[in-house]
Amino acid sequence: MNCRRTVGFLLMIGLALCGCSGIQSPSNAAWIAQPEFVEVDNHLLTARITPQKGEYPYYAFFLLTLTNKSSADLIVDWNASRYLFNGRPQGVLVFEGIDPAAVKNARVPSETVAPGAVFTLEIMPMRLIAWSPIKENTAGDRSISAGMLPVGENGIHLAVRHENGHITIPLSVRIFREGSP
């Protein structure tokens, strides 16, 4: 019986020490993105992603800015665009107001960007989000909640169609916590 108490006591001390060990949680770390944004600029378009924290202490989504420099429409193909983690595709991208059924069936409507127009949208990896239950959906409430972009190379593989074909644009930044390599 005394052995059980001793083991229990030692276990409690060990847990207390682990709790005070300084292991960083997302909320007590300084999150850094390098570079602060990444941009591709060519004769058709300028595409930029900027990692954003929003209301979170960590990076949770990207602000995509797409400027159409051509004389024809550009079409963003969300069904072919992907989240990139450490250079590898890791699933689709989502945004506020997206229909979960459209995502599931790969039928997310494309976005048309007219000549000379600037398109901006907050996008996030679907694999890192939480959907709000239908019963909680009310006007003004968010239907998705962004998750934490992990330490490493994070970005997007943007698929864009134009009158002469299509292009894919990889854009990535490195996210890390202060003090980590």
Side-chain angles (χ1 to χ4, degrees), residues 95 97-104 108 131:
F95 42 87
I98 198 167
D99 177 11
V103 175
K104 180 180 177 183
V108 177
W131 295 97

Side-chain angles (χ1 to χ4, degrees), residues 44-61:
L44 292 175
L45 57 83
T46 301
R48 173 189 284 200
I49 61 164
T50 308
Q52 301 285 298
K53 294 179 181 176
E55 62 192 51
Y56 308 100
Y58 49 82
Y59 290 102
F61 57 92

Side-chain angles (χ1 to χ4, degrees), residues 62 78-85 88-94 103 123-128 155-158:
F62 300 103
W78 294 117
N79 299 301
S81 296
R82 294 290 180 262
Y83 165 58
L84 296 175
F85 181 65
R88 295 184 178 171
Q90 297 289 314
V92 297
L93 298 160
V94 295
V103 175
I123 58 175
M124 57 205 82
M126 186 175 98
R127 73 183 201 102
L128 300 177
I156 68 168
H157 187 191
L158 188 65

Side-chain angles (χ1 to χ4, degrees), residues 31 59 83 85 125 127-128 148-154 175-176:
W31 291 84
Y59 290 102
Y83 165 58
F85 181 65
R127 73 183 201 102
L128 300 177
M148 181 178 68
L149 294 174
V151 169
E153 187 181 334
N154 286 267
I175 294 177
F176 61 96

Side-chain angles (χ1 to χ4, degrees), residues 55-71:
E55 62 192 51
Y56 308 100
Y58 49 82
Y59 290 102
F61 57 92
F62 300 103
L63 178 63
L64 169 67
T65 305
L66 182 66
T67 304
N68 185 348
K69 295 169 35 177
S70 75
S71 59

